[in-house]
Amino acid sequence: MTEAPIRFYQVGSFAVGNRLLPLEVRTVQAESDRSNAITSGHRACQGCGEALGARYALDAAMAATKGQMFAVNATGCLEVFSTPYPETSWRLPWLHSLFGNAPAVATGVAAALKAQGRDDIRVVAQGGDGGTVDIGFACLSGMFERNDDVLYICYDNEGYMNTGVQRSGATPPAARTMTTQAVGDDPGNVFGQGKDVPRIAMAHEIPYVATATVADLHDLEAKATKAMSMRGARYLHVLVPCPLGWGSESSATLAVARGATQSGLFPVFEAEGGEVTGVTPIRRQVPVEDYLSMQKRFAHLFSPRRRDDVIARVQAQADKNIRRYGLLEES
Amino acid sequence: MTEQRLTDLGMPQRPFAITLDVGSSLANHTGTWRTERPVYVSNLPPCNHACPAGEDIQQWLYLAEEGGYEAAWRRILADNPFPAIMGRVCYHPCETACNRAEIDEAVGINAVERFLGDQARVEGWALPTPAPGSGKRVLVVGAGPSGLSAAWFLRLLGHDVTLRDAEDRPGGMMRYGIPAYRLPRDVVDEEIARIETLGVHFELGSRVDDLEPLLATYDAVFLAVGAHVGRRAYVPAGEAARIVDAVSLLHDVEGGTAPLLGRTVAVYGGGNTALDAARTARRLGATDAVVVYRRTRDRMPAHDSEVQEALDEGIRMKWLSTVKHADEGVLLIEKMELDETGFPQPTGEMEELAADSLVLALGQDADLALLDGLDGITTTGGVVDVDPSMMTGRIGLFAGGDMVPSDRTVTVAVGHGKTAARHIDAWLRGTTCPPVPQRSLAAFDDLTTWYYSDAPHRVRPRLEGARRAGTFDEVVQGLDPESALFEARRCLSCGNCFGCDNCFGVCPDNAVKKIGAPGPGGYEFDFDFCKGCGLCVAECPCGAITMVPEE
């Protein structure tokens, strides 16, 4: 765990802030003068996890770099809802190019800054899971391979939500999307496909790889801050629930993200140089069923016929994560 | 704006193929999407709801969390003049109701209250100032918790208060009914002294026998004479059997004239007084004290903590037993059994129990002789009927505490005194007491407990059972400052904002604004941009936000 041990305050390290906490222990999001890198008036859906994740990560990075920062954005929900021409929600220098080349464009920006001798300005690239895991993956792998000085943040909502909820390489097995419909004997996305990009990133042995969710702000901010303290290629994979695509309540975005981590389906860890250096242990373990039943994209596992066999396969996946990362070993 | 006008204003020409100026999304008021809006609420925490004295517990814990002990103490004083006494003798229904019990253990509210009460005694915090004199004279009869509480609040409201009591020292059952090992007398003396300091006239050792002339002299009278008469039950006894009643025993111990009970003592009854009598007997030198009770432990009216403390001190319990006959040195005991309704039935099976004396603790009655001949007074089951304003059938005569229908605890009595004082004040001024605004109860399901740290209950140290049985030293000790702060901060602040910034942090639309210091009233929604997603409501740890339909 990257965070300090639990304090005995009314809220310890879990809430955004607390009037009882010393200033240095509060989150960036607790401060009135946070940069609000993505400001009000954006057109994201109610309860959008990605809008929240982007603000969390970028505000922390802005605080860590004292605002000396440049963002490159892949095509996707985040770009579309924040930047319908001519209006923008971004309050930092921001560049959009194509769906698949954000890592390459960011690399170019970093190279240009280096050529100008501006090592004080840091570069962040960001995109959804479609632009990262699938379409932009070659550029991303190249960026890792060259160890370019860029932090790439993937906001993973497990599908192409902007274009109408299609399957991506990050869509979990058994999930219903428009292209993996809930019809037939084995409905939903198939088992055994897709990509675990955090582990692929680790295989590149880049300086820093981490996963996080919008449900643990302290952890997410600590990782964004740490990433900005380092040079070279860094990768932050943030789980951002999508109320529309996942069929969850708009008020349940953080609860769903918590369910993903507490079931073990989304392991939260960090790695340096290809080795896992820290995990966030599960605090209150829940069966995967609790997580799945919060989302309509898994409704076909419960009705009209309960699919205990499929639920058991998903549980086995969670158990494997728990073993692999030691998510229950410390408390 | 047209291009022509922008140019006139000195705006730069746009680059090739760009036809619109860059604008901020702030122009896009997404608040129009909303069908429901969040609003901050202040719901009634279960602790406050359960407090017989009406203390705003969540509020004073909130103040204590920041180390604002004096402010917290003052918040208690607004409803209860005896924090240090309460922190020792209250049976804390607040803790029974506490939502935190569903996570780990209830907050140690009573322990924190005692800590605050003791801090005030150590630091000598100044008392509140009474309101300007009203010119009205009020008589309070009975200097127990109810009478003292009424006197305190009436004096604060500006009235001229006289407090009369038959005993030489004030305190009522707090002094003459509760043993010193539970409530040290210096605590009683110090907290009562404040009431005198405030300007209440004490007339002690002056029993009131005839109320009629006093009703003519004073503008209002509050009666709180308690229930000091030990209930008589017929126990056939031989000439030489030694039988005393528990109320007299406890009273005489306080007066320094404790009766000789002998080496073995039996106490007949199952209430708190029975346990107090048995524990007192041990302290007076009895080597063996046995509580004889007709039913079983789970059906005993005594509080569990007292039963446990008595057992720790070596008190023996004889369940399912009644006393059939008492003789010198020996009691005849009949075994009982519970029928389907839980009522004890005799079995005819007898046994003998050696006991030098028998203490009867079968309940107490109020001595209502002073009401004889008064018009309009009615009684039910030996206690005086009062209306919701605590007024008896006689205009201007109010009553509270053990002499009216209620649970007989110090906290209930204090609550009666406060309620009566407010209604007496309204009555004297020819107005009515404003009704307390109704708030919805803050339920456990409204909380998002994820955000609260795991923090086990801090327990108060106690003297060990074997060590304490021979002395009247206080059994339960206070919390140290660090533990008291820890315990206060375990409060979940049910239904009331405590300034965690979560609503400010979790809004995907930056639609929560900070308008002051974090805490109640420190946040405001920006309805130009709030899309009504309800994340702030779902993630508020304490359930202090709710959604209401958009008009």
Side-chain angles (χ1 to χ4, degrees):
Chain A
M1 195 161 136
T2 58
E3 269 304 293
I6 295 164
R7 283 163 218 88
F8 57 70
Y9 296 107
Q10 215 177 24
V11 284
S13 48
F14 303 111
V16 167
N18 188 341
R19 71 188 203 289
L20 304 172
L21 289 176
L23 282 173
E24 65 275 12
V25 191
R26 298 184 196 177
T27 62
V28 171
Q29 288 302 317
E31 305 307 324
S32 291
D33 61 354
R34 68 188 186 199
S35 53
N36 284 335
I38 172 164
T39 192
S40 307
H42 62 70
R43 299 172 188 214
C45 305
Q46 292 174 321
C48 175
E50 190 170 44
L52 205 52
R55 193 183 80 218
Y56 284 177
L58 290 187
D59 282 3
M62 290 279 272
T65 58
K66 298 188 168 52
Q68 296 290 90
M69 210 174 91
F70 191 97
V72 175
N73 212 134
T75 301
C77 268
L78 182 63
E79 171 261 330
V80 168
F81 74 64
S82 64
T83 326
Y85 177 75
E87 85 189 27
T88 180
S89 304
W90 297 103
R91 302 212 293 191
L92 78 170
W94 183 89
L95 177 65
H96 168 240
S97 177
L98 300 176
F99 208 160
N101 67 357
V105 172
T107 294
V109 173
L113 287 166
K114 187 179 179 188
Q116 293 173 25
R118 296 296 304 266
D119 65 354
D120 55 328
I121 299 175
R122 308 301 306 280
V123 180
V124 171
Q126 50 182 358
D129 54 296
T132 306
V133 175
D134 297 339
I135 300 174
F137 188 69
C139 293
L140 184 69
S141 180
M143 184 196 113
F144 289 162
E145 182 263 325
R146 295 185 303 271
N147 197 27
D148 294 317
D149 187 22
V150 174
L151 168 65
Y152 191 95
I153 307 173
C154 171
Y155 303 110
D156 180 7
N157 57 19
E158 304 188 335
Y160 291 84
M161 302 316 186
N162 171 44
T163 48
V165 191
Q166 292 88 8
R167 176 200 177 279
S168 83
T171 300
R176 182 256 295 143
T177 67
M178 291 306 284
T179 47
T180 58
Q181 297 268 355
V183 290
D185 289 337
D186 290 302
N189 194 24
V190 295
F191 279 82
Q193 294 185 2
K195 301 177 202 171
D196 186 343
V197 173
R199 292 184 66 225
I200 298 172
M202 281 167 65
H204 288 76
E205 303 216 342
I206 55 175
Y208 189 67
V209 174
T211 64
T213 77
V214 283
D216 190 345
L217 176 63
H218 289 260
D219 177 72
L220 171 53
E221 287 192 351
K223 285 169 176 169
T225 304
K226 184 172 181 177
M228 295 317 288
S229 75
M230 302 167 91
R231 295 275 174 178
R234 290 143 290 146
Y235 181 70
L236 182 57
H237 191 96
V238 186
L239 185 73
V240 291
C242 169
L244 181 76
W246 296 15
S248 52
E249 291 295 326
S250 65
S251 59
T253 299
L254 299 194
V256 172
R258 269 198 297 277
T261 60
Q262 299 305 297
S263 64
L265 280 177
F266 188 86
V268 180
F269 65 95
E270 60 183 350
E272 292 179 49
E275 283 182 83
V276 174
T277 51
V279 300
T280 302
I282 288 173
R283 184 170 168 233
R284 297 182 189 166
Q285 193 186 11
V286 296
V288 294
E289 183 174 344
D290 288 12
Y291 168 69
L292 301 175
S293 61
M294 295 172 84
Q295 308 165 52
K296 290 200 184 75
R297 64 175 172 158
F298 295 111
H300 56 280
L301 301 184
F302 303 96
S303 161
R305 183 164 69 88
R306 227 185 113 84
R307 293 298 305 267
D308 284 318
D309 55 331
V310 181
I311 295 169
R313 286 186 79 179
V314 178
Q315 183 66 56
Q317 202 176 30
D319 294 343
K320 187 176 181 184
N321 284 334
I322 290 170
R323 278 197 309 278
R324 175 179 279 157
Y325 296 101
L327 298 177
L328 282 176
E329 279 174 10
E330 39 181 326
S331 58
Chain B
M1 283 185 181
T2 65
E3 192 168 331
Q4 181 58 49
R5 283 183 56 203
L6 284 171
T7 312
D8 292 346
L9 289 167
M11 300 296 278
Q13 290 283 337
R14 293 178 199 84
F16 171 72
I18 300 295
T19 55
L20 294 168
D21 283 304
V22 172
S24 166
S25 67
L26 289 172
N28 183 15
H29 284 186
T30 51
T32 54
W33 301 12
R34 204 172 50 238
T35 56
E36 285 185 300
R37 67 167 57 198
V39 289
Y40 290 101
V41 294
S42 164
N43 288 334
L44 181 63
C47 51
N48 299 18
H49 183 63
C51 180
E55 287 186 22
D56 203 346
I57 295 160
Q58 175 270 331
Q59 276 297 306
W60 60 253
L61 284 174
Y62 178 85
L63 296 165
E65 282 155 22
E66 294 183 280
Y69 297 141
E70 187 174 347
W73 177 77
R74 289 191 182 287
R75 193 68 197 81
I76 299 176
L77 283 198
D79 295 298
N80 189 329
F82 306 123
I85 294 174
M86 283 305 127
R88 288 171 167 84
V89 303
C90 181
Y91 291 113
H92 41 72
C94 49
E95 295 185 25
T96 307
C98 178
N99 275 334
R100 176 126 204 164
E102 304 219 16
I103 305 178
D104 41 34
E105 288 174 284
V107 175
I109 298 166
N110 189 247
V112 179
E113 184 168 23
R114 169 173 170 167
F115 173 80
L116 294 171
D118 287 349
Q119 281 296 109
R121 293 169 58 219
V122 171
E123 311 221 350
W125 289 326
L127 295 179
T129 313
S134 66
K136 301 284 187 184
R137 299 181 63 215
V138 184
L139 174 68
V140 175
V141 183
S146 199
L148 288 163
S149 159
W152 162 267
F153 288 108
L154 285 164
R155 179 71 201 107
L156 282 176
L157 290 162
H159 305 297
D160 183 8
V161 184
T162 301
L163 181 59
R164 282 181 65 173
D165 195 280
E167 300 287 349
D168 293 331
R169 285 177 293 169
M173 277 295 182
M174 297 193 295
R175 184 186 301 279
Y176 294 104
I178 299 176
Y181 60 83
R182 278 173 58 203
L183 181 57
R185 297 306 183 240
D186 56 336
V187 177
V188 177
D189 291 339
E190 285 174 40
E191 294 218 305
I192 293 176
R194 286 187 201 133
I195 293 168
E196 198 158 14
T197 308
L198 209 63
V200 171
H201 314 291
F202 280 69
E203 292 182 7
L204 298 170
S206 94
R207 172 182 290 277
V208 173
D209 291 311
D210 187 5
L211 268 177
E212 200 67 62
L214 296 168
L215 283 164
T217 315
Y218 290 92
D219 296 299
V221 175
F222 178 66
L223 290 183
V225 297
H228 294 259
V229 184
R231 194 165 289 159
R232 291 288 158 184
Y234 178 67
V235 176
E239 287 280 313
R242 207 170 342 163
I243 301 180
V244 295
D245 81 83
V247 186
S248 308
L249 170 67
L250 295 171
H251 184 278
D252 292 347
V253 168
E254 184 60 22
T257 56
L260 294 170
L261 294 172
R263 307 292 287 172
T264 57
V265 178
V267 179
Y268 190 23
N272 293 318
T273 307
L275 297 176
D276 281 343
R279 296 173 71 184
T280 298
R282 283 279 278 152
R283 285 165 169 78
L284 291 175
T287 50
D288 189 18
V290 188
V291 172
V292 179
Y293 180 54
R294 295 187 304 158
R295 298 185 230 202
T296 47
R297 175 171 176 177
D298 54 317
R299 294 183 181 275
M300 215 173 180
H303 286 90
D304 215 42
S305 59
E306 291 224 40
V307 180
Q308 194 54 53
E309 285 181 14
L311 290 170
D312 292 348
E313 288 170 16
I315 310 287
R316 291 197 295 131
M317 303 285 177
K318 204 160 179 55
W319 313 114
L320 292 168
S321 304
T322 52
V323 179
K324 291 300 283 184
H325 195 275
D327 258 312
E328 185 173 8
V330 65
L331 302 175
L332 188 63
I333 304 288
E334 179 172 9
K335 293 213 165 196
M336 307 294 278
E337 61 186 10
L338 297 183
D339 62 17
E340 315 80 71
T341 61
F343 198 80
Q345 300 292 352
T347 62
E349 197 182 326
M350 301 290 174
E351 63 177 334
E352 290 194 339
L353 176 70
D356 294 329
S357 53
L358 174 63
V359 180
L360 299 178
L362 301 164
Q364 289 119 261
D365 290 316
D367 180 359
L368 301 180
L370 79 171
L371 293 170
D372 288 348
L374 279 187
D375 296 336
I377 304 288
T378 57
T379 62
T380 307
V383 288
V384 179
D385 298 324
V386 288
D387 68 12
S389 73
M390 311 302 289
M391 197 177 337
T392 65
R394 174 71 181 258
I395 301 296
L397 180 61
F398 297 75
D402 287 356
M403 66 181 293
V404 305
S406 67
D407 284 346
R408 287 175 170 172
T409 70
V410 174
T411 321
V412 167
V414 167
H416 283 179
K418 179 181 79 166
T419 306
R422 288 179 183 170
H423 284 101
I424 291 169
D425 176 68
W427 187 75
L428 289 173
R429 295 177 196 274
T431 59
T432 50
C433 219
V436 180
Q438 293 300 306
R439 297 194 283 166
S440 11
L441 199 60
F444 182 75
D445 289 344
D446 297 338
L447 307 176
T448 305
T449 58
W450 175 263
Y451 291 102
Y452 297 103
S453 300
D454 307 307
H457 179 41
R458 289 286 168 99
V459 291
R460 283 181 275 196
R462 286 160 197 266
L463 284 186
E464 281 174 49
R467 281 184 53 210
R468 71 198 186 212
T471 137
F472 279 91
D473 288 350
E474 190 168 20
V475 169
V476 182
Q477 311 292 304
L479 293 178
D480 60 61
E482 193 196 338
S483 300
L485 190 64
F486 181 102
E487 203 54 40
R489 288 179 171 187
R490 291 182 68 240
C491 174
L492 306 178
S493 199
C494 306
N496 290 272
C497 175
F498 62 92
C500 73
D501 291 334
N502 247 28
C503 51
F504 180 71
V506 302
C507 176
D509 296 288
N510 301 337
V512 179
K513 305 292 174 204
K514 283 198 186 189
I515 54 172
Y523 310 94
E524 166 180 282
F525 294 107
D526 183 348
F527 288 113
D528 279 352
F529 297 109
C530 167
K531 290 172 184 161
C533 68
L535 256 181
C536 52
V537 177
E539 299 302 318
C540 175
C542 61
I545 316 176
T546 192
M547 292 300 271
V548 297
E550 197 66 38
E551 305 227 327

